[in-house]
Amino acid sequence: MKKMKKILGLVLAMAMVLGMSVTALADENDQQGQTPAAPATNSTTITGKPSADDKADVTIKNVEANATVTAYRIVNPVYDANSAEGFKGYESAKVGEGDAAISIVATATAPTAEEITDIAADSSVLTALTSESGFTQGEVKTTGDADEKGKADYTAKLGAGYWLVLITGTADVYNPMLVGVYYANASGDNNTLEGGILDSNSSFTINGVDVYAKSTKPSVDKKIVDKNGNATTDFDVATEETVYFQIDTVIPSYSEEYENATVKVKDELSEGLTLNQDSVKVYVDNTEITGEAIEKTYEITKAANGFTITFKKDYILSDEGRKTVRNVVVKYDATLDKDKAGINFDPNTNKATLTYTNKPGTDANGEPYTNETEDITYTYTFGIDVRPYGDSDATWNTITKELLKGEVVSETVNGVTTTKIVPLGGAEFELKNTATNKVYTSTSSNEEETKGYLSFKGLDAGSYTLKETKAPEGFSLNTKEYAVEISANYNEDGTLKDYTITIDGVSTTYKATYDENKTVTGIQTETQKEDGTTVTEIITTEIPNTRLSSLPSTGGIGTTIFTIGGCAIMIIAAGLYFVSRRKSGK
């Protein structure tokens, strides 16, 4: 009967260990609340009396690589080297000195969830406990199922007793785990954490268990969507048009070990984007938070360049919140500013940052421990005859010069007459988007360095027609209509890979190189001519104008004398004609 009680005690103790080792936060690919398979057991054979030197391997599996894993012994084994048995049982760890020392658990063989919560959240108690931080990281799992990528096993040799394991220094949110290391004799007459006497003449094993750490890894997914909320890879837009954004993130499920928690979403727009204040909408588990529910759920502060959403502590740690991860979606839109928008490779960025608690307790300032993760979107708009990368003065960042307005001038050298284009300012042009009918206007420059060039900014990718609407004084109007096409390709991270401007059949492609900070470090140019050949420079499309015939100067004889002479000759000729007819009639 006594043997049966011991076996039953072992089963109950291990059930408690496993129950407390499975955290309330599931891995993104695990089902919430799913019970794992029975853990493996790591055994070390002990010969002779049990002693404080006895240790067994404890392995924490499925932990983010490069984490810090620390075990704190909250229940200690009691050894007596002078007794025949050597091992007497277990007792709670104590905090304090002498008679003032306090046991941190009431019953050594059955720590409660509340006790575990208090211990994990109290840094002074943890500091006073015996700790083991020498967990060795095993091989990182970089293949296999998605939930195993970037994960590793952490192993350390721990002595007998109960150990509180905390995982820190990661983006994942891990709840505290409770693991037990216990003795079992070779004959199967097991000594569990209930205590008991061991026969020192037998061989014993000290057993450690494999514990599977389960976690939520909060992330923030920032993306550009179309006006219907559908994901898109069209990252370019015309100025004064609307850009639609969506943030996908989560409110982690925090177990009872967390007495405080922070979850905050901050959005920052670059100066080229202006937030439409009334467009911000927050959804939790596909339901929009509106009306009075907002006050219970979150606070929001807004500015021209973004907003911050801070979820209420009581909402985060509500009974519902402790049971499951809640999905959060934030939708809003912004306008691309005509005067401040970055052009071509100069992106208009939008950064979303998620700040969340990832460890029980508070820091030295009494604030919850937090981690941050962020995601950035890039919105582009294009220009013709402008710098390809904002106002940077890099040697490769010169005006592109795709279009040139000029006067046709003839030159004769050694009897050979040729024509050339001389830059001409003051000509007015209209560029029309064939899909939206939006019209852009530009006047050819009169500035010395850019004379004759046309500057169009804030263009969406697409098809356009270009025509001259007003010639400079003294010049004829060029009536030709030019076809213009703008196209773009993007990298996987959303940055602009290259863009192409095609004018009258000649295509120039601009391709950027980036550094590790996603900053443009150079731009390469390649132009494809109408015959299919390519060159590494820009071929400018020239739009010619010719001068009108010269008019007479004020007060000069000009052509007047020739006009009078012509009229006189016509009158004399008419007179002679009629005289001749009269003579013939007689």
Side-chain angles (χ1 to χ4, degrees), residues 49-118:
K49 292 182 180 181
S51 73
D53 294 331
D54 299 341
K55 292 185 178 182
D57 286 339
V58 170
T59 300
I60 313 297
K61 293 179 173 289
N62 201 34
V63 178
E64 187 176 348
N66 302 314
T68 299
V69 181
T70 306
Y72 301 88
R73 184 148 57 182
I74 64 172
V75 173
N76 298 316
V78 179
Y79 297 103
D80 183 1
N82 296 321
S83 69
E85 298 82 9
F87 177 77
K88 293 295 186 181
Y90 297 91
E91 66 179 7
S92 169
K94 296 182 179 181
V95 176
E97 300 292 335
D99 294 338
I102 300 173
S103 297
I104 60 174
V105 297
T107 304
T109 57
T112 66
E114 184 177 358
E115 289 171 333
I116 298 302
T117 299
D118 292 341

Side-chain angles (χ1 to χ4, degrees), residues 150-228:
K151 299 297 178 70
D153 294 344
Y154 286 76
T155 301
K157 290 185 178 297
L158 302 180
Y162 264 141
W163 296 80
L164 173 66
V165 178
L166 298 180
I167 300 173
T168 57
T170 72
D172 288 20
V173 175
Y174 291 91
N175 286 312
M177 288 166 284
L178 187 66
V179 298
V181 178
Y182 58 93
Y183 287 101
N185 66 17
S187 65
D189 189 8
N190 299 311
N191 176 50
T192 72
L193 288 178
E194 287 188 311
I197 305 299
L198 293 178
D199 183 353
S200 61
N201 294 319
S202 303
S203 294
F204 297 89
T205 57
I206 182 169
N207 300 290
V209 296
D210 290 346
V211 178
Y212 289 81
K214 300 174 78 75
S215 65
T216 292
K217 185 172 185 177
S219 63
V220 58
D221 179 18
K222 179 68 177 292
K223 55 191 173 186
I224 298 173
V225 297
D226 63 22
K227 63 181 179 180
N228 296 317

